[in-house]
Amino acid sequence: MVNVVLPYIDSARGGVKRLGALIAKYGSAAGNSVLFSDKDEIWYMEIVTGHHWVAQRIPDDAYAIAANRVSIQEVDFTSDDFMWSAGIQDFVAKNKLNPDLEAGTSAISSAPSLNRTATTTLPVSGMGKRS
């Protein structure tokens, strides 16, 4: 990552976009998480195997704890505080990876053709407000 991402970016948001483009093109053999930080923002990115990923901007008044597991609990596909790989909503639906959707309590997409709400629920490790 030091050679293929950092020389090409000037912001945390740019880091997520650059690494996301590389994952879209080449894929990832293993799941990982990456934090990108600059003077204005902190982004937490989760990479699953294959070509999919999600990222969440850590709010200024919050912190995150990522304990070696998937940590992003919900993805709001209508918010500028989230980024994601193309096709991830369809991938989750096709492979029935959202247990809340199966139970009829949540949904995964804001896409009008899917007739669903804007969030998906994933396991969370930890995020909280600063005191």
Side-chain angles (χ1 to χ4, degrees):
M1 202 166 70
V2 171
N3 295 323
V4 297
V5 176
L6 297 181
Y8 301 95
I9 64 170
D10 59 9
S11 69
R13 186 179 296 263
V16 173
K17 290 178 181 180
R18 170 76 179 173
L19 185 54
L22 292 170
I23 293 166
K25 184 173 183 177
Y26 299 107
S28 174
N32 283 293
S33 60
V34 180
L35 282 164
F36 290 100
S37 175
D38 63 35
K39 65 181 182 60
D40 297 315
E41 296 183 311
I42 300 172
W43 281 85
Y44 174 71
M45 181 180 196
E46 291 185 337
I47 305 161
V48 296
T49 58
H51 297 267
H52 291 297
W53 58 271
V54 296
Q56 180 176 7
R57 183 184 172 279
I58 306 299
D60 294 338
D61 64 345
Y63 62 89
I65 300 168
N68 200 25
R69 60 177 271 192
V70 174
S71 297
I72 297 176
Q73 183 177 9
E74 292 185 353
V75 176
D76 182 346
F77 293 101
T78 64
S79 172
D80 289 337
D81 289 335
F82 290 89
M83 290 187 270
W84 55 89
S85 58
I88 195 166
Q89 295 162 305
D90 292 334
F91 179 81
V92 169
K94 178 182 175 186
N95 293 287
K96 300 181 184 194
L97 299 175
N98 185 347
D100 291 336
L101 181 61
E102 297 304 310
T105 59
S106 182
I108 62 165
S109 173
S110 61
S113 62
L114 297 177
N115 192 25
R116 299 184 183 130
T117 59
T119 62
T120 186
T121 302
L122 302 170
V124 66
S125 184
M127 181 183 283
K129 296 284 185 183
R130 292 183 186 161
S131 49

